[in-house]
Every structure is written in structure tokens, then in C-alpha cells.
Amino acid sequence: MRLGVIGGTGLVNLDLKQQLGERGKVLRQDDVNVDTAYGSVPLRLCTVQIGGEDHEVVFLQRHHNPSGHGCPPHMINHRANMRAMEGANVDAVLSVCSVGAVVASFPPGKVALASQYIDFTGVATTFHDDEAVFTSATLPFDPAMNDRLATILINEQPYHGGPFRYTYWLAQGPQFETASE
């Protein structure tokens, strides 16, 4: 599998050499800029070996800055980012998002999975500006990938009170949502 990983302010740099430790090794790591019809996108291309098997990882920092704060949330060029991932021929995309939460069962530091989302950004997310194209979002996240990730979270996360799956609420940044929202 060729895995695309998108990071934001919670995952600003994919340093696989440090993160793998004794579990595997990085065979190749290249930083490239990919030109798309929507703009240039920096990608980190990695080949890692884990358990004797080679895996490809394509990392995209959505703010296009090693600090994660280069581009404010409302100015992120999502079309360019998605085209770059498409051009990298990834089989799946795992996106890491840092979020605020108003429920006590989701304290700072908890990792969870999105099973649904509500988008109140008002930002167009289509590549079809000249024609109507229907794409179902009934199951926006891959259930099999979420099941696999949930199994990992059960074993790795120091606490797992409450559900692992939440609804991801998108609001137009850069402000934070109110408790009522």
C-alpha cells in the first residue's frame, strides 16, 4: 500500500527515522515540490521497511510549512493538496487534524477517528466547476481503515474512555467554534 499522510498543526513534520525507532528503518526520504494546476505543493516521499516489508509513505503538510503555521486554515489550498496526493498515486489517505472539543470524554491528547463529518465552512470542495457531478458522502471515511486504526488505538492509547469514533465538525477558520456551535 502506498499511504498518503496529511498533517496539520498537530503533525507538522513526518520524521519517520525517529518515529520508527527499532521497529523499522527508512530506506529513502526525498522532499519534492509538485506543481499542480492549482499551485505548488511540498511533499515528503519515504520508503520504509517494517518487518522485512517495504512501504511507501507520502507526507503532505497541509499548511505548507514545517511549523504547521505557514498558511492560516482559511487560506489552505485544498485543491492543490488533493491534486498532489492524486498525482502521487496513493492508495489511501490518513489525515491528522488537531481539534477542539467540548465533550469531557475527549480530553487534550486523545486520539480518535472521524466516522462522519459536518461541513459548515461554505468552501467549495469540488473539482467539477463546469458540470454537476454527484459523489456520495454517505460513508466519507473508509470503515475498514477505521477498524484497523481503532485496533491500534486500543493497544496504544493510554486511555480510551468513551467511543473512538466521532463526528468531525468543520467550521470556517481561523476562529475557534463556540460551545453552542
Side-chain angles (χ1 to χ4, degrees):
M1 175 184 282
R2 188 171 172 90
L3 179 64
V5 177
I6 300 176
T9 57
L11 179 60
V12 296
N13 184 14
L14 191 66
D15 183 1
L16 290 173
K17 290 177 185 176
Q18 178 183 352
Q19 293 166 346
L20 285 174
E22 299 295 319
R23 295 180 292 168
K25 62 183 176 180
V26 176
L27 302 176
R28 176 185 61 89
Q29 180 173 298
D30 298 311
D31 292 323
V32 300
N33 282 313
V34 175
D35 292 324
T36 74
Y38 302 99
S40 182
V41 177
L43 296 178
R44 173 167 284 171
L45 310 173
C46 302
T47 303
V48 298
Q49 191 173 70
I50 302 171
E53 291 185 36
D54 292 358
H55 304 276
E56 298 290 323
V57 178
V58 178
F59 178 68
L60 186 158
Q61 211 299 325
R62 85 171 122 262
H63 297 273
H64 297 192
N65 186 285
S67 73
H69 300 285
C71 179
H74 64 289
M75 300 298 290
I76 293 173
N77 189 341
H78 296 292
R79 283 181 168 181
N81 288 347
M82 291 301 93
R83 281 292 189 221
M85 276 295 181
E86 177 188 46
N89 295 317
V90 297
D91 298 305
V93 175
L94 174 67
S95 184
V96 178
C97 305
S98 296
V99 300
V102 295
V103 293
S105 65
F106 200 99
K110 182 172 183 172
V111 177
L113 307 170
S115 58
Q116 288 290 322
Y117 71 91
I118 300 171
D119 187 349
F120 286 108
T121 65
V123 176
T125 57
T126 182
F127 288 98
H128 304 283
D129 291 334
D130 299 325
E131 60 183 305
V133 176
F134 175 76
T135 302
S136 175
T138 304
L139 291 173
F141 303 102
D142 184 296
M145 182 179 253
N146 267 358
D147 287 346
R148 188 169 178 190
L149 291 168
T151 300
I152 293 167
L153 283 175
I154 288 169
N155 294 321
E156 297 293 329
Q157 193 160 259
Y159 49 84
H160 52 82
F164 280 122
R165 292 179 174 89
Y166 288 84
T167 297
Y168 185 68
W169 176 298
L170 293 86
Q172 183 63 14
Q175 82 280 353
F176 288 108
E177 300 81 15
T178 68
S180 294
E181 289 175 316

